[in-house]
Amino acid sequence: MNSVSPASAQHLSQDELPHSDGQQLFNSRAGVHGENCRRALSAAASAHGQHSEPDEVDKIKCKVLSVWNKVKYGWTVKSKTNFSKLSPVYLFGYTYRLDREEDVERFHRDFSSRIWLTYRREFQPLGGTMWTTDCGWGCMLRSGQMLLAQGLLLHFLGRDWTWPAGLLTSRWAETEPGRSSSSSHPSLAPPPQRPPLPASQSRAPLELRTHPPHGSPEELEKERRHCKIISWFVDRPEAPFGIHRLVDLGRSSGKKAGDWYGPSVTAHIVRKAVDSCSEVGSVAVYVSQDCTVYKGDVAKLAGRSEGQAVRDPSAEWKAVIILVPMRLGGESLNPAYVDCVKDLLQLDSCIGIIGGKPRHSLYFVGYQDDFLLYLDPHYCQPFVDTTREDFPLESFHCNFPRKTAFSKMDPSCTMGFYARHSGEFEQLCLKLTQVLNAAAVKEKYPMFSVVEGCSQAYGLDEHCSQQVLQTQRGTKRDRVKKPTAEEFVVL
């Protein structure tokens, strides 16, 4: 079958790839609803005449989009997601067997502890624009936020940390009716009505009491860090990883508010955001070049100190989040890569995949059988002011795992990994090499490579990855030109 090798896809322009990196909001392929909205925008602009001030037109557009987005993203149907009792579930390297009640509870608690970042509305306008929501265009940025948040959770709280209030907000539903107990599938359903609270606790503050009122000093410190991490992603101009900051950083890549962002562009935006944040100075982000992780470049980025004793590996390096943009097929995911993706998701150092369906970003966190587990950013929630003491945390955590078939995954994606120190990084490289080499026997082209040395030693320009990010401008004929034989390979 015809497909794109992960490395060669790095040299394709954004317009040549079938992903939506370079597409504008409500483009011609967005469907009938997008077309109707675009017509409404045009009619609103025409009503003010050709000599209307641009600011007035922008205000009208934002109002129309605000109404449209509230209708489209302002509600959600919490349908059940079925899970097989016969197959294990993998979540960020941990394995859960749902035929055991204790594993069902552990999985639910683990999943609901992951930070969930979705569309928001009613925040301060994005710099230089009238945008007060990212509904309809910011889903990839939200997925990138979630991937970074998972890396920061690992760094500051560890993989075994779970949110103490996670099990208070919902619970697993009973076995799906109509099936025998031997073949039934546990599922998630909307939370049942909460039981009455003790007289000593009022019902109203339950949503706000996400911060534990008491506990050991260690537990209180972990909860403080948990709240701090979430505050870094709130939609305020001052937040280092909020939507305002990410959009501002995206301008250097030719992006602006309202544009579609792709997984490769988002990876570099995340890197820039971490580089410019002093609060996470102990963490660095590395973005691979041409689907290759250069160990020498990671070592330089991690900041090994000259003459420092090697007895304490954690003192030598910063923690590193490694992001690998790649393309795993042409128009759709090449099924030859599925087993390798599964093996990588089983690594405890993997912090997930940002990708999703075509023009519909999702954050993949694990899998069961031939279905990916994901967190979905396509739910519009109101802005939360994290500067307020005891701000509510429930809207930053999701209790309902979703699943989608591997075959529906968009081939354009970015995979993330985390290493706390040089020892973990070496172990990660060893595991990645084993997985990728084993997969390459079947796939011919590995998803990506891990090599010794620096990129300069291989004749790569230091800024080649930045050049890939620039939005390609050209004629319509350039955008739809046929790929050459060098861009596509037969697997």
Side-chain angles (χ1 to χ4, degrees), residues 424-444:
E424 283 193 5
F425 175 67
E426 291 297 334
Q427 293 177 6
L428 170 61
C429 290
L430 179 61
K431 293 177 181 178
L432 291 177
T433 300
Q434 293 173 344
V435 171
L436 296 170
N437 287 348
V441 174
K442 296 185 300 180
E443 299 158 10
K444 187 176 180 181

Side-chain angles (χ1 to χ4, degrees), residues 14 188 222 248 269 348 354 361 424:
Q14 300 295 337
L188 279 180
K222 287 184 176 181
D248 184 57
I269 291 175
D348 54 8
I354 57 175
S361 176
E424 283 193 5

Side-chain angles (χ1 to χ4, degrees), residues 119-392:
Y119 289 151
R120 295 279 173 173
R121 65 179 186 272
E122 300 165 7
F123 50 69
Q124 296 182 42
L126 297 172
T129 74
M130 299 296 296
W131 290 98
T132 59
T133 179
D134 63 315
C135 288
W137 56 269
C139 55
M140 185 63 75
L141 292 179
R142 297 300 185 180
S143 295
Q145 285 180 321
M146 286 189 277
L147 182 140
L148 175 59
Q150 176 60 19
L152 296 178
L153 284 179
L154 287 182
H155 182 69
F156 290 103
L157 296 174
R159 179 62 184 90
D160 292 330
W161 174 84
T162 56
W163 184 36
L167 289 178
L168 297 178
T169 55
S170 68
R171 58 187 290 270
W172 280 94
E174 299 295 332
T175 300
E176 192 172 12
R179 298 178 183 268
S180 64
S181 59
S182 60
S183 61
S184 58
H185 298 247
S187 61
L188 279 180
Q193 186 174 0
R194 294 188 179 101
L197 295 174
S200 60
Q201 301 178 12
S202 62
R203 178 178 297 276
L206 177 62
E207 185 183 42
L208 300 179
R209 289 192 319 101
T210 50
H211 307 243
H214 54 76
S216 67
E218 181 181 4
E219 291 173 341
L220 293 175
E221 174 61 20
K222 287 184 176 181
E223 187 59 19
R224 186 193 68 80
R225 292 184 179 182
H226 170 217
C227 296
K228 186 65 174 178
I229 292 172
I230 288 178
S231 72
W232 289 336
F233 294 89
V234 73
D235 300 315
R236 296 168 57 90
E238 303 83 9
F241 311 127
I243 194 73
H244 295 75
R245 180 60 177 159
L246 300 187
V247 169
D248 184 57
L249 292 172
R251 291 193 179 97
S252 63
S253 300
K255 295 294 183 180
K256 62 182 183 300
D259 287 350
W260 293 100
Y261 292 72
S264 179
V265 172
T266 300
H268 284 272
I269 291 175
V270 168
R271 176 186 60 80
K272 294 175 185 177
V274 173
D275 287 348
S276 60
C277 179
S278 59
E279 294 185 86
V280 292
S282 58
V283 180
V285 174
Y286 171 84
V287 182
S288 69
Q289 300 180 23
D290 298 316
C291 292
T292 304
V293 175
Y294 295 94
K295 297 174 65 175
D297 289 343
V298 176
K300 287 183 178 181
L301 183 64
R304 182 194 299 270
S305 300
E306 294 292 339
Q308 196 168 33
V310 297
R311 290 173 294 181
D312 184 7
S314 61
E316 296 178 27
W317 285 30
K318 294 180 181 180
V320 179
I321 293 175
I322 299 172
L323 303 180
V324 186
M326 65 189 80
R327 190 168 186 86
L328 306 178
E331 292 290 340
S332 59
L333 178 72
N334 188 328
Y337 290 113
V338 171
D339 288 340
C340 187
V341 173
K342 289 181 178 180
D343 292 339
L344 293 173
L345 286 173
Q346 291 184 37
L347 300 179
D348 54 8
S349 54
C350 181
I351 57 174
I353 303 172
I354 57 175
K357 304 174 184 178
R359 300 181 299 280
H360 184 92
S361 176
L362 302 171
Y363 174 45
F364 298 119
V365 299
Y367 75 95
Q368 183 185 45
D369 295 326
D370 293 324
F371 294 89
L372 287 154
L373 274 63
Y374 65 87
L375 285 165
D376 190 352
H378 297 87
Y379 177 47
C380 190
Q381 303 187 85
F383 165 78
V384 174
D385 184 4
T386 59
T387 62
R388 185 180 56 163
E389 186 178 359
D390 289 346
F391 63 87

